Amino acid sequence: MAYLNHNIPVITCFIRNEYLFNHTKGHGDFTLCDVHAVASVEKRVPLFEAFLENGVNWTRRPINAFCWKKDAPVRRLDEHMYWDCFSPYVDVQIRQRLSGLRAQLITPTYEKLEGTYMFSLDWSWESKAGFTDVNFSETPEHKCAHIFKMDEGNYFAYPNNRIIWYDDAWIKDRITKNPGFIIDLNVYTVENTRKQETDYQFITEFKDADGKKQDTKRSKVHSSVQTETESDN
């Protein structure tokens, strides 16, 4: 399905060769590649497409298949990212305000590892005829994964609540522990909250800056034109 696949900013790095041989061999060996696309399959991790230097384009490898340092530690997949894809519909973008920033990522085992922000995967749900929205991409709030180039040589994809950012020109009193923030479960909407009906006056009645109502009656020109038309008939 074409909508599952999306271009990403190209990452030139290494693929661990065991991911080219179904983990039967190749451990400890590496192949240079350009990672250039991602596939979002619900209830699977994001899967990346790589163009190898030997001319092969290899699809759908997990993020822990890639590294930019050959001596990067080999970690479990659940240390590289917290969540599977929430939806087949994902947007790839570079958050301009976060572009180039460094951050500290908190792993599931509470390690604090540092890296540099690259881009984000942002999930939502696009309703299609015949498909029922049963996923969790917007429940209780929208989901995203920020992709990081980690100092240790790996790549991570982490959610907002596991990232503490650095910005020397902005951040003051940077947190060192959980501040006690709570996920906002409110639905913010203004429609269907007012007990009033929309009528013709609601559309045509306006006020001048001094608070006086504007005359919403037909102009003399419009009235005269209509009168002439009616007389012609």
Side-chain angles (χ1 to χ4, degrees), residues 28-64:
D29 295 328
F30 304 85
T31 298
L32 188 67
C33 66
D34 279 346
V35 181
H36 62 90
V38 65
S40 181
V41 181
E42 194 169 356
K43 298 184 179 179
R44 300 288 186 273
V45 296
L47 298 170
F48 295 88
E49 188 167 330
F51 185 29
L52 312 184
E53 65 174 346
N54 60 13
V56 172
N57 190 59
W58 202 260
T59 63
R60 298 195 175 184
R61 300 298 92 195
I63 196 170
N64 62 335

Side-chain angles (χ1 to χ4, degrees), residues 76-94:
R76 300 192 319 269
L77 181 56
D78 63 1
E79 294 181 272
H80 288 256
M81 59 193 341
Y82 272 82
W83 310 116
D84 290 342
C85 297
F86 291 94
S87 165
Y89 301 99
V90 65
D91 183 42
V92 179
Q93 60 177 242
I94 296 175

Side-chain angles (χ1 to χ4, degrees), residues 113-142:
L113 304 175
E114 297 190 351
T116 302
Y117 171 76
M118 301 178 71
F119 59 91
S120 300
L121 304 178
D122 210 338
W123 285 278
S124 187
W125 177 252
E126 181 180 342
S127 181
K128 295 290 186 181
F131 287 83
T132 302
D133 180 359
V134 293
N135 74 52
F136 299 97
S137 60
E138 297 288 342
T139 306
E141 59 182 356
H142 93 280

